[in-house]
Amino acid sequence: AMKSVSKASKDVNSKLANIAEAVQSTIPVIDQMTTGITSGRFVYSWMTVMLVTFAEAYLEDVLRLLISQALSSSTLHDSVKGDVTKKWVKEALRGRPHDWIKQLDKFGIGGYTSNQADKLAVVWQRRHTLVHTAEPEIPDTAARQFLDAVILVSSFIESVDAQLLTLHPHESRP
């Protein structure tokens, strides 16, 4: 009876060793798959950061154009106009999307949906979290979040563009 238990034990150990070897050989493939999945989410998350950065640069150009147009008939020296414009734009961009929309509205560029600023704020907050958190959580939905952000930001920019060109038809796009 001892021999049969010993033989059965050796058979089980042999099978376990074969299974362990087979599992071990799949680890590099699993690691590659994990890296691919994780890096895809990482890339989409950082694409959101870039999208926000580009949108802010666009807004800076729009605000600069609007304030310089507003100051164009002023008798202030050009260097003073430049300083005022620079400070005003910097201050305006320091705020959140709600603040930008209010500033644009003062120049006659408005008509956004009631929740557009809230939706933009979520995207800007996501950017802030990604940039300023040591190890930000990157969700499985990062690709979908990026695509939604592209649609939202594009809609905002297209609306600003259309109104800007209506108000200032002789200006080229920022």
Side-chain angles (χ1 to χ4, degrees):
M2 269 312 244
K3 284 185 178 183
S4 65
V5 169
S6 177
K7 185 176 188 271
S9 178
K10 285 182 183 177
D11 288 343
V12 168
N13 286 340
S14 175
K15 288 179 182 178
L16 286 174
N18 289 340
I19 291 171
E21 187 178 315
V23 168
Q24 192 69 28
S25 69
T26 64
I27 288 175
V29 173
I30 292 170
D31 285 345
Q32 284 179 330
M33 289 171 56
T34 302
T35 299
I37 291 167
T38 304
S39 65
R41 291 190 330 234
F42 174 83
V43 168
Y44 279 113
S45 292
W46 280 93
M47 287 169 62
T48 299
V49 171
M50 292 184 296
L51 175 68
V52 169
T53 302
F54 296 147
E56 287 178 346
Y58 167 81
L59 280 170
E60 181 178 345
D61 288 346
V62 167
L63 293 170
R64 192 175 307 280
L65 172 67
L66 291 170
I67 192 68
S68 66
Q69 291 252 323
L71 293 174
S72 66
S73 62
S74 170
T75 58
L76 292 172
H77 190 272
D78 285 346
S79 65
V80 174
K81 289 179 189 178
D83 288 345
V84 168
T85 300
K86 184 177 179 179
K87 287 178 184 177
W88 186 83
V89 168
K90 183 179 178 182
E91 197 59 36
L93 287 175
R94 192 175 288 184
R96 302 174 347 152
H98 294 84
D99 302 322
W100 306 332
I101 287 176
K102 286 178 188 172
Q103 292 297 330
L104 290 169
D105 196 43
K106 289 178 183 178
F107 284 99
I109 298 177
Y112 306 102
T113 60
S114 61
N115 64 350
Q116 191 161 17
D118 293 335
K119 288 179 178 180
L120 287 168
V122 169
V123 175
W124 262 249
Q125 181 57 46
R126 189 176 313 131
R127 174 222 167 263
H128 179 81
T129 300
L130 286 164
V131 170
H132 298 288
T133 304
E135 291 185 33
E137 182 180 328
I138 300 176
D140 294 337
T141 58
R144 180 78 250 160
Q145 288 177 350
F146 171 70
L147 295 174
D148 291 345
V150 167
I151 292 167
L152 179 65
V153 171
S154 295
S155 168
F156 176 72
I157 288 173
E158 287 170 6
S159 177
V160 170
D161 258 1
Q163 294 179 64
L164 184 65
L165 291 174
T166 300
L167 291 171
H168 305 283
H170 301 295
E171 296 295 328
S172 61
R173 287 176 69 154

